[in-house]
Amino acid sequence: MTIAISSLTKSFGPTHVLRGIDLGIEAGELVALLGPSGSGKTTLLKIIAGLDWPDAGALAVDGQDWLALPAQKRRIGFVFQSYALFPHMTVRDNIAFGLTVRPRAERPGKSVIAARVDQLLGLLQIPHLADRFPTQLSGGQRQRVALGRALAIEPSVLLLDEPFGALDAAIRRDLRRWLREVHEATKSTTIFVTHDQEEAFEMADRVVVMGEGRIEQIGTADQIHDHPASPFVARFMGAVVELPVALRAGRVEAAGLDASALERRAMADGPARLFLRPDAIALEPDAASPWVLSHKASNGAVIRATLRREDGTELPVDLLRHSAPEVTLGAAYRLRPLTGAVFSAEGAAQSGGPSPLPLLKEHRK
Amino acid sequence: MGRPLVHRSPMPGLGLSMGITLTMLSLVVLLPIGALLLKGASYGIEGIWETVNRERVWAALFLSFRLSLFAAVFNLIFGVLLAWVLVRYRFPGRRILDASVDLPFALPTAVAGIALTALYAPNGAFGSLAASIGWKIAYSQWGILLALVFVGLPFVTRTVQPVVEEIEREVEEASATLGATRLHTLRHVIAPMLAPAALTGFALALARAVGEYGSVIFIAGNIPLVTEIAPLLIVIQLEEFNYDAAAAIGIAMLLISFAMLLVINLIQVWSRRRIGYV
């Protein structure tokens, strides 16, 4: 099923939750909607599911207008963050629910339903839980039942809202790999919502980064990592070091900054802002630099260092303990960023607006 | 060493609280019922049967339990609906309506009976309307039903309300995404979740209606064989200093009530086992 979303907007009172969403999703694709809370990603998912309606815009699936269809007729599988299992039904009845509610004419026979449930229980690796009630299951097991219930109706689109949000880290890792396998096996078009970058990049074919009701960027993990399309994406991806710089002939310049590892970019001269990740900065001793090492602490693998300028500005730098050269407290260092993103000063000020894509060099050693 | 190992419960004060509870239960509930049964025993089973096996007593018992059942059924349906509306919808005056549900608890039942009678008597505000289409409410069995509905309503609403609050809206949404119609969601998802609480409320409303006296005697008209309820018959016997007969009717009511509540409890146990939760 291909999904085409265009110019979707939605407000709750004075709050604009979606400010014009355009998105196309191919059949069989696994797409992540990634963004901080309040970015509108769950609302978008609910609109696709038919559990919420937009103020304006269009939603078509295989050319059919889905905004004219109620949720019951869309044949989607929706996995809720809270799982929303039916507490008075066994695991088996929960999974069979979508099949048993069909009108008599379309309903498969009892034995067909039982066989389908058994097959799903196998796929979910929970055949031994078939006769338990939801309250007797752990979080991870509930998650599997919720997914099984959604898959039972052979959904045209599978939608998952923060599927692993309530689980602990180890189970989360297992389920991620397992969900990816289930997707390979079922090949259903899948969209999931998450605020966890690692989860989004590890599982999805494509990641849609959302912020404040807009799509900020669509791409693969590497594309978004290396070429963030806006200051918002750069910050969200962990580029928390923000430096005011001057652009001259396509190069960024600032006191104590050695930008020679960054590629020249086709931008007009003038003030700009440089966004850096703390782990993509190398330090080189330079007595003339205004940046002084004021603090360092090691967690075994990484040394977290803090550099301080005379005016009180501080910035964090993460150095690999075994490969980075030794640094000493109180010494002055020059920053040598390995990658970074540059946005013109105006673009950086308003986080949402469109910004030119900077031409960046790949990670250099 | 030397001290015997005592298996202690981690909950403190179990012995003390158990003792107080049992003492209170005995004083407040078991002792009066025991006294009633003792009185009956001195009267003898044949004496009880002779007292009860009269047309007027049977009519009163049948009337009391029949109308109590009708009132409880009405309260079951309307009370669940009211609980649903109070929890799920936001409308002006909701809090006032919510608070007023408890009024039948607080109002002296005689006041309620007099107020209902004033409204529904043939010359009252609603009574005259009903009379114009030939419907007599006060001083008929309709009046008794009305009073019993009034005093029993809060039980169902107040037991069901917290359960409605706990139902996640996502459970209904999940049902919808799986293709269930609204009616199907209501029947197969919502209703089973509300059933245990609704049944408890039903039992409470029923028990209350069976024992109700104050509000009913004002609106019933109290015509023997037609609108005379069993509790009134007991009071009449007492006023005639016929204590044995009063105890006999009391024991009859006790037995029937006990049987009904036992059946409701069994239904609850059965439904809990069947759906395995709550």
Side-chain angles (χ1 to χ4, degrees):
Chain A
M1 297 274 168
T2 58
I3 303 173
I5 297 166
S6 50
S7 317
L8 223 53
T9 61
K10 168 85 184 171
S11 309
F12 290 123
T15 326
H16 297 284
V17 185
L18 298 177
R19 300 165 189 256
I21 299 288
D22 295 280
L23 179 62
I25 292 167
E26 298 300 320
E29 215 177 358
L30 178 56
V31 170
L33 299 180
L34 173 66
S37 55
S39 58
K41 54 194 194 307
T42 296
T43 305
L44 180 57
L45 198 74
K46 289 209 155 182
I47 288 174
I48 299 172
L51 300 173
D52 210 336
W53 267 264
D55 299 333
L59 165 65
V61 175
D62 276 355
Q64 192 186 15
D65 176 15
W66 263 25
L67 292 180
L69 276 186
Q72 287 92 336
K73 299 250 167 83
R74 294 190 189 186
R75 207 162 168 167
I76 37 134
F78 199 106
V79 177
F80 292 85
Q81 188 174 5
S82 65
Y83 316 134
L85 297 175
F86 304 128
H88 58 289
M89 294 182 198
T90 59
V91 166
R92 177 179 293 281
D93 291 341
N94 262 287
I95 294 175
F97 186 84
L99 299 173
T100 53
V101 298
R102 290 197 188 156
R104 202 172 291 275
E106 302 167 32
R107 194 190 309 160
K110 273 211 169 100
S111 56
V112 180
I113 293 180
R116 175 97 186 109
V117 172
D118 283 333
Q119 182 209 336
L120 278 165
L121 286 169
L123 178 72
L124 300 161
Q125 300 157 8
I126 49 169
H128 56 292
L129 302 176
D131 297 316
R132 299 252 191 109
F133 286 94
T135 47
Q136 301 166 318
L137 303 178
S138 71
Q141 291 167 337
R142 285 180 207 188
Q143 172 62 258
R144 285 167 192 250
V145 177
L147 190 66
R149 186 177 66 176
L151 288 173
I153 58 170
E154 285 165 352
S156 54
V157 181
L158 183 62
L159 305 170
L160 305 106
D161 185 10
E162 297 274 4
F164 310 122
L167 303 173
D168 60 57
I171 297 172
R172 204 185 279 207
R173 256 195 309 281
D174 281 354
L175 279 180
R176 254 186 237 160
R177 189 166 346 111
W178 168 80
L179 183 64
R180 183 78 227 191
E181 283 165 15
V182 170
H183 177 256
E184 301 295 337
T186 58
K187 278 286 164 218
S188 54
T189 311
T190 304
I191 306 173
F192 74 97
V193 156
T194 180
H195 63 268
D196 182 341
Q197 305 172 25
E198 203 188 314
E199 196 167 290
F201 290 129
E202 195 181 310
M203 284 174 55
D205 299 322
R206 278 196 306 160
V207 173
V208 177
V209 184
M210 290 184 67
E212 287 172 5
R214 285 196 187 81
I215 291 180
E216 295 282 344
Q217 192 169 5
I218 304 174
T220 62
D222 293 351
Q223 286 166 352
I224 293 174
H225 217 267
D226 294 343
H227 308 293
S230 66
F232 174 87
V233 179
R235 281 190 205 112
F236 189 68
M237 296 304 300
V240 292
V241 178
E242 250 182 87
L243 284 177
V245 292
L247 262 172
R248 198 159 301 134
R251 275 214 183 282
V252 293
E253 291 178 2
L257 180 74
D258 169 14
S260 59
L262 303 178
E263 214 161 63
R264 285 169 186 272
R265 27 187 81 68
M267 285 168 74
D269 288 358
R273 290 186 89 78
L274 176 64
F275 290 79
L276 302 171
R277 297 165 55 91
D279 61 358
I281 301 172
L283 296 183
E284 289 168 354
D286 180 359
S289 169
W291 296 103
V292 175
L293 188 71
S294 64
H295 182 79
K296 65 171 181 172
S298 167
N299 71 359
V302 173
I303 296 171
R304 299 198 185 282
T306 306
L307 291 166
R308 201 182 151 87
R309 207 163 55 182
E310 265 168 26
D311 62 0
T313 316
E314 290 189 335
L315 58 84
V317 176
D318 293 347
L319 305 165
L320 285 175
R321 194 172 132 235
H322 290 295
S323 52
E326 193 82 4
V327 289
T328 43
L329 279 175
Y333 290 93
R334 162 170 90 221
L335 308 175
R336 191 178 138 86
L338 305 170
T339 62
V342 182
F343 298 96
S344 64
E346 311 90 73
Q350 39 152 293
S351 64
S355 304
L357 191 75
L359 307 170
L360 277 186
K361 189 165 266 183
E362 294 299 323
H363 233 81
R364 259 199 219 166
K365 277 274 140 70
Chain B
M1 279 284 272
R3 274 182 65 179
L5 279 172
V6 180
H7 183 79
R8 281 185 178 276
S9 160
M11 296 277 283
L14 177 69
L16 188 64
S17 57
M18 187 75 148
I20 293 175
T21 312
L22 283 183
T23 310
M24 289 304 288
L25 191 70
S26 307
L27 285 176
V28 175
V29 179
L30 296 180
L31 210 61
I33 290 181
L36 177 64
L37 290 175
L38 203 67
K39 181 82 190 159
S42 71
Y43 191 36
I45 291 180
E46 264 172 44
I48 294 175
W49 179 246
E50 247 167 58
T51 310
V52 174
N53 195 14
R54 279 182 298 163
E55 198 191 1
R56 189 175 169 188
V57 179
W58 279 130
L61 285 173
F62 185 56
L63 179 75
S64 270
F65 284 100
R66 183 168 47 105
L67 289 182
S68 297
L69 197 67
F70 289 165
V73 168
F74 181 89
N75 278 332
L76 176 66
I77 297 164
F78 188 67
V80 169
L81 200 65
L82 183 60
W84 185 266
V85 168
L86 286 176
V87 173
R88 280 302 172 86
Y89 298 98
R90 294 287 170 270
F91 50 89
R94 184 181 67 93
R95 282 178 191 287
I96 295 171
L97 189 66
D98 196 2
S100 67
V101 169
D102 288 328
L103 279 183
F105 278 155
L107 214 56
T109 50
V111 174
I114 293 166
L116 287 174
T117 311
L119 283 172
Y120 289 93
N123 55 357
F126 302 134
S128 57
L129 271 176
S132 67
I133 57 164
W135 187 17
K136 191 178 169 196
I137 296 178
Y139 314 129
S140 76
Q141 296 189 359
W142 287 110
I144 302 176
L145 188 66
L146 187 68
L148 296 183
V149 164
F150 179 82
V151 296
L153 178 66
F155 290 99
V156 178
T157 303
R158 286 295 185 237
T159 46
V160 170
Q161 224 172 341
V163 183
V164 177
E165 264 161 23
E166 260 179 42
I167 296 181
E168 297 167 90
R169 197 156 281 201
E170 296 189 339
V171 171
E172 291 157 62
E173 291 182 340
S175 177
T177 61
L178 291 165
T181 59
R182 281 172 195 224
L183 196 66
H184 194 104
T185 303
L186 204 63
R187 266 191 57 199
H188 295 275
V189 178
I190 304 297
M193 291 170 82
L194 296 183
L199 210 55
T200 303
F202 173 78
L204 290 172
L206 179 67
R208 174 69 204 268
V210 168
E212 178 59 15
Y213 173 76
S215 61
V216 176
I217 50 160
F218 289 100
I219 202 168
N222 308 327
I223 308 158
L225 300 177
V226 184
T227 57
E228 188 178 57
I229 57 169
L232 176 66
L233 209 52
I234 297 176
V235 173
I236 290 173
Q237 302 298 334
L238 288 176
E239 281 170 352
E240 293 170 0
F241 302 105
N242 197 351
Y243 297 130
D244 285 338
I249 302 170
I251 288 171
M253 288 196 75
L254 189 70
L255 290 178
I256 301 174
S257 297
F258 185 76
M260 281 168 67
L261 292 177
L262 190 70
V263 168
I264 292 174
N265 259 313
L266 288 177
I267 292 175
Q268 268 177 320
V269 169
W270 170 77
S271 72
R272 258 171 227 181
R273 194 163 300 161
R274 195 176 66 100
I275 66 177
Y277 102 114
V278 183

